[in-house]
Amino acid sequence: MKSLISRIILSEEFQLTIWAGLMRRIINYSSGLYRYSPMFLLDSQAIERPHYAYCMLNAALLGKLLGHSRISALEFGVAGGNGFNFMCKFANEVERLTGVAVECYGFDTGEGMPPPQDKRDLPYWFKEKQYTMDMQALAKQGLNKNLIIGDIKNTIPSFLDSHNPPPIGAIFNDLDYWSSTRDSLRIFEGATARPENFLPRLFMYFDDVIGSKAEMYGAYNGQLAAISEFNNLQDATKIHLNQNLLPKSHIKYRFQIYYAHIFAHPLYEYYMGGLEQDSLEKLLRLK
C-alpha cells in the first residue's frame, strides 16, 4: 500500500493536479516529525530547491558508480547565500543517502555584479552592484569556509591548483551576464590536465536561460550566448540541455538543467549500460 501511494504521489498525472500543492504542504509540515528520503522529497517536489537537489543527488550517484567517495559542487554567483546555504545543508542528506560526501564551493565578487562588458550582458536588465553578498550573514552561518571571492575571470584560472577539489560533479551558474558566464566556463580548461578534479559528465543548472518577456533571453545574449560560444570554440567539452527531463511537464526547472560531457576524460567510456532503476535504488539503499 505504501509503495502504491508513493507511486501515485510521484506520478506526473498527480503532480499536475491542484492536490499536489496540498500534498507538498503536508509533507513540509510533517518533515519535523518524519525524516523523508531526500529522493522522495525531490521526486515529490516538496523540497526547497529541487533543481539543486537533482544535480547534487545525481552527481553523487554518478560519482559512486565510478568509485568516488567524495565529489564537489560549485555555485557561481552566491549573492545572498540562499542557494549556497541549501547546498551545504543538503550535502549532508546526499552523503546520508549515497555515502558520497559533497564539498561545496561558492564563487562571488563579494561586491555584487561587475560592470557589464557588452550588450550581450543585457545592460537593460542587469547593472553593476546588483545582488551584493552579505558576508557577515554567511560567516555567522559558518558558510564562508569555501567561498572564493573575486571576479570570476581572476579566480577560476587558479582554482584547481589552489584548492584541488574532489571531482566536480555539479555546477550551479547564476552569474546573469554573458561575460561572467563565459569566464566561469573556463573551469573546463583544466579538465585535460587535471581530470581527477572532474567527473566525466557533470550536472549543470543555469538560472538565467528562461525569464520574463522583459528579460528576453535568447541565443544571442546572456547565458545562452555564453554556452553557445563555449561549444563553438572547442571540442574537448560540450554543454547541452538535458533531454530526459524535457518530456516531464510537471518539472518546472527542466529547461534549466544542462549536462557537460568531458570527452577526453579517462573514465568517460566506463560502461554503465544496463543499470535499471531497481539496481540504482539498491545502490542508494532506498529499498
Side-chain angles (χ1 to χ4, degrees):
M1 178 63 73
K2 181 179 179 181
S3 177
L4 175 60
I5 294 173
S6 293
R7 285 199 298 270
I8 293 173
I9 292 173
L10 302 181
S11 70
E12 181 174 353
E13 291 77 13
F14 179 82
Q15 289 291 322
L16 289 172
T17 68
I18 60 172
W19 302 107
L22 175 61
M23 179 58 66
R24 285 191 282 271
R25 286 194 291 272
I26 292 173
I27 292 171
N28 288 328
Y29 180 78
S30 60
S31 60
L33 302 173
Y34 180 80
R35 193 172 192 180
Y36 294 98
S37 160
M39 191 65 77
F40 173 78
L41 292 176
L42 170 60
D43 290 342
S44 64
Q45 302 189 80
I47 196 167
E48 180 186 349
R49 288 178 174 256
H51 45 302
Y52 277 53
Y54 176 88
C55 292
M56 291 176 69
L57 276 169
N58 283 289
L61 174 57
L62 176 57
K64 188 178 185 73
L65 291 170
L66 295 174
H68 295 293
S69 60
R70 299 168 64 236
I71 65 168
S72 294
L74 278 51
E75 183 181 51
F76 295 138
V78 176
N82 293 329
F84 193 65
N85 185 27
F86 176 87
M87 287 171 63
C88 295
K89 291 181 178 178
F90 193 68
N92 297 324
E93 294 299 302
V94 173
E95 184 173 11
R96 178 175 71 88
L97 180 66
T98 67
V100 176
V102 183
E103 194 163 317
C104 300
Y105 295 88
F107 293 75
D108 201 279
T109 65
E111 301 175 345
M113 296 176 67
Q117 293 185 17
D118 189 286
K119 291 180 180 178
R120 287 169 287 184
D121 282 341
L122 293 89
Y124 59 84
W125 191 254
F126 299 115
K127 64 179 181 179
E128 185 178 6
K129 302 298 183 183
Q130 269 186 296
Y131 308 123
T132 56
M133 175 188 285
D134 190 339
M135 295 285 288
Q136 291 184 340
L138 289 168
K140 286 181 180 178
Q141 298 178 74
L143 300 178
N144 57 338
K145 176 185 174 184
N146 284 341
L147 290 180
I148 317 299
I149 304 301
D151 195 308
I152 199 83
K153 68 182 179 184
N154 299 322
T155 57
I156 280 292
S158 62
F159 171 67
L160 297 179
D161 287 330
S162 61
H163 289 78
N164 190 29
I168 301 167
I171 295 178
F172 307 101
N173 202 309
D174 191 8
L175 291 174
D176 307 307
Y177 286 159
W178 156 76
S179 58
S180 299
T181 303
R182 174 203 61 192
D183 293 337
S184 74
L185 296 179
R186 292 187 62 194
I187 188 73
F188 292 108
E189 292 178 2
T192 301
R194 302 184 62 111
E196 67 274 14
N197 294 129
F198 295 84
L199 293 183
R201 292 172 296 281
L202 284 73
F203 294 82
M204 304 184 72
Y205 168 81
F206 289 91
D207 190 69
D208 300 289
V209 293
I210 58 175
S212 69
K213 57 187 177 183
E215 291 161 272
M216 298 180 73
Y217 299 137
Y220 304 104
N221 62 26
Q223 294 198 305
L224 287 169
I227 295 168
S228 179
E229 180 179 322
F230 174 85
N231 286 330
N232 288 334
L233 289 176
Q234 50 81 46
D235 295 320
T237 301
K238 295 294 186 182
I239 298 171
H240 67 89
L241 183 65
N242 82 86
Q243 297 298 308
N244 59 295
L245 288 179
L246 293 182
K248 303 180 185 296
S249 58
H250 65 293
I251 296 180
K252 295 180 180 179
Y253 55 87
R254 66 190 185 278
F255 296 109
Q256 294 167 282
I257 301 295
Y258 283 67
Y259 300 138
H261 289 250
I262 303 174
F263 295 118
H265 195 286
L267 292 178
Y268 187 84
E269 296 183 40
Y270 179 85
Y271 183 68
M272 295 169 50
L275 284 174
E276 301 297 336
Q277 188 61 37
D278 287 347
S279 300
L280 298 179
E281 288 180 352
K282 289 177 182 177
L283 181 65
L284 291 173
R285 302 189 299 276
L286 292 177
K287 293 273 185 174

